[in-house]
C-alpha cells in the first residue's frame, strides 16, 4: 500500500504557478510517450490524446452566488469524523466495510482511509480513493483519487490522458472562481490539468504525472504514469503536525 503524502505537496500549487512542488510517485514501467503540444487558450480542445501546454487564462467570470462550492467528495464532507466518512463510502460505492483500509502518516501525524473503486470515472479503470483526517481536528480535510498501473494493471498512457481530458472539461464548466483557475500548467513531474478554488478557498487539483523527455525540434514529450485528483479543504494551512517555532 502506498504512503499518503498529499496535503503539504499541494500548498505550492495554490501559492505559485511557477513552482513544481509535487514529487513523482513510485516509478512504474515506462508507457507509450505522447507529445505535449504547443500552447492553447484555456478551454480549447487539445490535440487528441495529449494535454495542451501551459496557460492560466480563466473563463469569463460569473456571479459570486454561482461559484462552485467544494465541500468534499460525494457524500463525504469536509469536517466529518472517520466513522461518518466510512458510512459515506459504504453508501456511495456500495462497499463492504472490510474493503476500507487504514493508514497513518508518521511525519504529518494524519490518518487516512483508502479503498479501491472500479470505474470511479466511467470507463476510466480502477482508482484508489484516499480520505485524509487532520492532525488536530481528526476530521476530513482532503479526498484524493489516483489512477495508475499501481491501481489498475491494465492502465495505459492513453487511458490516463483520456481520464485527464474528461475531468478537465468537466471542471472547466463547474463555475470555480475565475481568478483561481489554472489549466495545462507544467510542474516538476507533470502537468496540472486543472486547478480551481471556491469562495472559501477550498480547492480541486487535477495532476497528470509522469516524465518529460526532450525530442527532436526541442519538443517535450510526456510519458504519463499516474493521474491524481485532490479535493482540499485548506491547502495553504493544512491541519498537519508542524514543529513549534524555536524548538530546534
Amino acid at each position: 500500500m502506498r504512503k499518503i503524502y498529499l496535503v503539504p505537496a499541494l500548498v505550492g500549487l495554490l501559492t505559485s504557478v511557477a513552482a513544481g512542488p509535487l514529487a513523482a510517485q513510485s516509478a512504474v514501467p515506462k508507457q507509450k510517450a505522447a507529445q505535449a503540444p504547443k500552447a492553447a487558450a484555456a478551454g480549447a480542445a487539445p490535440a487528441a490524446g495529449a494535454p495542451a501546454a501551459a496557460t492560466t487564462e480563466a473563463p469569463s467570470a460569473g456571479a459570486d452566488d454561482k461559484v462552485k462550492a467544494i465541500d468534499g467528495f460525494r457524500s463525504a464532507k469536509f469536517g466529518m469524523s472517520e466513522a461518518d466518512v466510512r458510512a459515506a463510502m459504504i453508501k456511495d460505492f456500495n462497499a463492504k466495510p472490510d474493503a476500507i483500509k487504514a493508514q497513518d502518516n508518521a511525519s504529518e501525524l494524519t490518518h487516512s482511509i483508502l479503498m479501491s473503486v472500479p470505474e470511479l470515472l466511467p470507463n476510466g479503470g480502477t482508482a484508489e480513493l484516499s480520505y485524509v483526517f487532520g492532525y488536530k481536528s481528526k476530521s476530513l480535510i482532503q479526498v484524493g483519487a489516483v489512477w495508475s498501473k499501481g491501481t489498475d494493471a491494465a492502465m495505459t498512457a492513453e487511458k490516463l490522458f483520456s481520464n485527464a481530458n474528461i475531468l478537465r472539461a468537466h471542471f472547466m464548466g463547474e463555475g470555480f472562481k475565475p481568478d483561481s483557475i489554472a489549466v495545462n500548467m507544467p510542474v516538476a513531474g507533470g502537468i496540472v490539468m486543472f486547478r480551481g478554488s471556491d469562495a472559501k478557498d477550498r480547492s480541486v487539483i487535477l495532476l497528470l504525472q509522469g516524465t518529460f523527455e526532450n525530442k527532436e525540434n526541442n519538443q517535450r514529450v510526456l510519458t504519463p504514469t499516474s493521474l491524481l485528483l485532490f479535493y482540499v479543504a485548506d491547502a495553504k494551512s493544512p491541519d498537519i503536525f508542524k514543529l513549534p517555532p524555536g524548538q530546534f
Side-chain angles (χ1 to χ4, degrees), residues 166-181:
I166 290 168
L167 287 167
R168 178 183 56 185
H170 169 73
F171 291 131
M172 288 293 292
E174 282 288 274
F176 294 93
K177 285 195 306 183
D179 62 357
S180 76
I181 294 174

Side-chain angles (χ1 to χ4, degrees), residues 40-43 54-60 172 178-179 181-183:
T55 174
T56 56
E57 181 180 346
S60 57
M172 288 293 292
D179 62 357
I181 294 174
V183 297

Side-chain angles (χ1 to χ4, degrees), residues 15-225:
T15 57
S16 173
V17 298
L22 283 174
Q25 301 293 310
S26 300
V28 299
K30 185 175 181 180
Q31 304 176 51
K32 182 180 178 181
Q35 178 179 321
K38 296 179 181 179
T55 174
T56 56
E57 181 180 346
S60 57
D64 289 343
D65 59 357
K66 294 183 180 180
V67 171
K68 169 76 172 182
I70 305 165
D71 57 1
F73 181 68
R74 300 194 183 181
S75 298
K77 307 302 181 183
F78 295 136
M80 275 187 173
S81 67
E82 180 177 346
D84 288 341
V85 171
R86 285 178 177 267
M89 295 166 71
I90 291 170
K91 172 186 174 183
D92 288 343
F93 304 106
N94 194 28
K96 295 181 179 180
D98 60 4
I100 302 172
K101 309 301 180 183
Q103 182 181 105
D104 292 322
N105 186 306
S107 61
E108 298 170 3
L109 299 186
T110 55
H111 176 72
S112 302
I113 52 178
L114 305 92
M115 183 174 67
S116 293
V117 180
E119 306 302 318
L120 178 66
L121 180 68
N123 300 314
T126 298
E128 183 183 70
L129 282 175
S130 60
Y131 298 75
V132 182
F133 299 89
Y135 160 59
K136 292 182 179 179
S137 67
K138 310 302 180 187
S139 63
L140 185 65
I141 60 171
Q142 179 177 291
V143 182
V146 178
W147 292 262
S148 71
K149 274 198 172 291
T151 68
D152 188 337
M155 189 63 63
T156 63
E158 291 80 7
K159 180 62 69 176
L160 291 170
F161 275 129
S162 176
N163 289 354
N165 288 331
I166 290 168
L167 287 167
R168 178 183 56 185
H170 169 73
F171 291 131
M172 288 293 292
E174 282 288 274
F176 294 93
K177 285 195 306 183
D179 62 357
S180 76
I181 294 174
V183 297
N184 311 325
M185 183 177 69
V187 295
I191 298 174
V192 176
M193 300 292 288
F194 180 88
R195 184 200 68 196
S197 302
D198 68 5
K200 295 184 178 179
D201 287 328
R202 299 170 298 195
S203 303
V204 168
I205 299 172
L206 178 66
L207 173 68
L208 185 63
Q209 200 166 50
T211 57
F212 282 106
E213 293 180 84
N214 289 322
K215 298 296 186 179
E216 295 180 3
N217 300 321
N218 203 31
Q219 292 177 331
R220 299 186 75 201
V221 175
L222 175 69
T223 301
T225 55

